[in-house]
Amino acid sequence: MTEPLFDTHAHLISDDWEKYPPRPLRPDMPTPQRTPYTVTAEMLVQWMDEHHVPSACVVQRGHVYGYDNSYILDAARRYPDRLLPVVILDTQHPETPAQLTDLVKYHGVRGLRMANTRPEHLDTAWMSSPAAMRVWRTCADLGLPVTIIVFLNQLPYVLPLLHVIVRMFPGLPIVVDHLGTPYGATLVELAWARAAGISEAPLPPPPDYGIESTIGIFADTPDVVFKLTEVNLERLVGTGISAARLVRRVADTFGAERVLWGSDVGQSLRWSYAEKATMARAAADHLEPRERALFVHDNAARIYATPVHQGGTQP
Amino acid sequence: MIRRRTFLASALAVAGAAALPRKGSTAPLAPFPLFDTHAHFYTNQSDRYPFNATGARYGAERMIARAMANPMTPEAVFRLWDELGVEMGTGVQYNSTYGTDNSYLLDVSRQHSSRILPVVILPPTAPTTPGLLQQWARDNRLAGVRFTGSANDAGEFTFLSDAAGDAWAVANELGLSIVLMLLGQGIPQGLTQVARMAQRYPNVAIVLDHIAFPRPEVLPRTFGLTPEHRALAGLPNVYYKITSFLFSEMEANARAVGKPMVELRPFVHHVAELYGASHLVWGTDYGNVEVDPVEYARRAVEASEGLSAGDRQALFHDTARAIFVPGGRGRKRA
């Protein structure tokens, strides 16, 4: 039996566009197109079964469904022991803290994702306005893990700002999506940068991989962990650098308890779920057995407190 | 989860201690009377009250041997209560000895009506359950009903599902308490169902046994409380039971992973701050725990030091008196 994986980053897209219509993240943005593919809860759970993935976070696809988290909530209701919903909400809305508390209380939400809408939006209100700070406070009060995605062009100022915020909420688990280094640039933002005439900087070489000048500032904040996804693997392809080397470096820099894996299924389309699972395990090849287990499963299980949260026996 | 190896070594010694509270110290634990929300009653008169121990926590054979040697008669429980300074308490039906046959509990609470209020166990979805709750509220001073178990394959706790709606509706009508012991892996998801039931049945005081098993060794920063535990804060009709069993479980869980036991005083202060001391109750779980009941009660009282006198009295007495009322609290006043 292969080792179990915990997929911390799976996106779902329903095949029922009437029930779950696309919605924009902001009223000034166009309604998103329907995607030409779907990843239903049933499909994901089947893949999870096939590749020994007991648990997955289902992360809201903001650029498809906006702030309407209905589909991931419905999916988690159908598979409560397998799927953990991670919602995206409007951090600027005054009702969001109360809405988030209700989602945790009544609907089994297990995490919040913060995301800026576009690389060209350079303001930081989405993560640090007074309204957004109230959302952070709510997450801290609940002990609700926060995941955050930072665009490549914004790493130099968003990461230090995140560092300030992290230190305000000790104990709150925070997951930086796609590692938070230059190896985490998504195809969308690379396309935007090309269109905007911004030349692509070369990927920082080993042994540092650009860690020191980006997420290196989180060395002293153990509640911040880093998520390796297919986005990173896409950047690595063609460089000749193995993901296992990068993961080894992250583990050496921060400790193996601070790195975890997510497939990015439902958004990253280059590889099948089978390939993603194989690549996740291969990315652990330079880790010791105990470290491997942490990276591919146990860190996520700890942060989302799922398979280990068991109480009592027979009455 | 009970870790058998942790108690097997000391089980006999502790069971002896449990049956015979130490004599000598006559000073009560606290400067106010206590209300024990969690005492189990069973007798070794098995011809009159036959055992149904198929669901026993420690196995049927062992459970029956234990009950025969150390029956939890009112006399035995009152010896402990007198030593601790417990004024009265709820007798909690013990699934391990009798399943859903509540005869012994109802008999002893009738015979000792000034000290024992019954909290029965009934099958949550049985068509007879609502009628029995009404009957016992009327005739037997019923204070509450207890539902326990783990989630089914679909992740649902039967006693929190629509199928149990009739029982909940009767409890809501009468103002009975519903004591819940959620077990197994689905506790966080189960708590979201608890929240929905609390909203739907606002006149039911929901009491979560053992605070639904926080795991401080897993989530040290939040004293083991998941986001689902924490999100319940603010629901007016949900209460949280601190017990000797919870302490012994947290101890065993910490030991199993080689971590120190969470400090009880910060733990109790944390839950008091989160939920409000007026939403906490306390119980010995006497008759079930295999730890020294006096020592663990003392730990609970000591852990509450530093809370205001009013808060401590609420935790150890007043809230329990207010929510466990013979026959139910009646309809909610608008």
Side-chain angles (χ1 to χ4, degrees), chain A residues 80 105-106 110 141 310 313, chain B residues 183 189 196 215 230-231:
Chain A
K105 192 189 294 187
Y106 298 113
R110 304 303 297 264
D141 288 346
Q310 178 162 351
T313 49
Chain B
L183 298 169
Q189 294 91 329
R196 287 198 286 271
R215 299 285 301 267
R230 304 177 72 78

Side-chain angles (χ1 to χ4, degrees), chain A residues 77-78 80-81 101 103-110 140-145 170-171 222-223 301-303 305-315, chain B residues 1-2 55 57 95-96 148 154-155 181 183-185 187-189 191-192 195-196 199 213 215 218-219 221-222 224 226-231 233 235 249:
Chain A
R77 207 167 284 131
R78 284 204 301 285
D81 55 338
T101 303
L103 286 169
V104 174
K105 192 189 294 187
Y106 298 113
H107 301 286
V109 163
R110 304 303 297 264
D141 288 346
L142 293 169
L144 188 74
D223 297 315
R302 181 186 75 239
I303 288 166
T306 177
V308 286
H309 193 91
Q310 178 162 351
T313 49
Q314 283 303 301
Chain B
M1 183 182 292
I2 287 285
R57 178 188 288 277
N95 183 55
S96 287
T148 77
M181 183 162 70
L183 298 169
Q185 291 203 3
I187 288 177
Q189 294 91 329
L191 293 178
T192 67
R196 287 198 286 271
Q199 221 182 25
F213 296 109
R215 299 285 301 267
V218 178
L219 295 170
R221 301 286 202 147
T222 56
T226 65
E228 288 82 351
H229 281 94
R230 304 177 72 78
L235 283 173
E249 283 283 274

Side-chain angles (χ1 to χ4, degrees), chain A residues 170-255:
Chain A
L172 174 65
I174 294 167
V175 183
V176 177
D177 287 338
H178 316 310
L179 295 184
T181 74
Y183 286 87
T186 62
L187 295 174
V188 174
E189 50 185 311
L190 290 176
W192 166 79
R194 271 193 296 277
I198 298 169
S199 59
E200 202 170 325
L203 286 165
D208 176 61
Y209 304 95
I211 290 172
E212 182 65 34
S213 61
T214 54
I215 55 177
I217 55 172
F218 296 108
D220 62 346
T221 52
D223 297 315
V224 179
V225 301
F226 309 98
K227 185 194 287 176
L228 180 95
T229 69
E230 179 169 324
V231 169
N232 305 112
L233 300 175
E234 284 173 354
R235 294 288 76 67
L236 285 164
V237 160
T239 63
I241 301 166
S242 84
R245 290 281 171 212
L246 176 57
V247 169
R248 179 71 260 171
R249 180 68 182 192
V250 174
D252 286 340
T253 308
F254 302 101

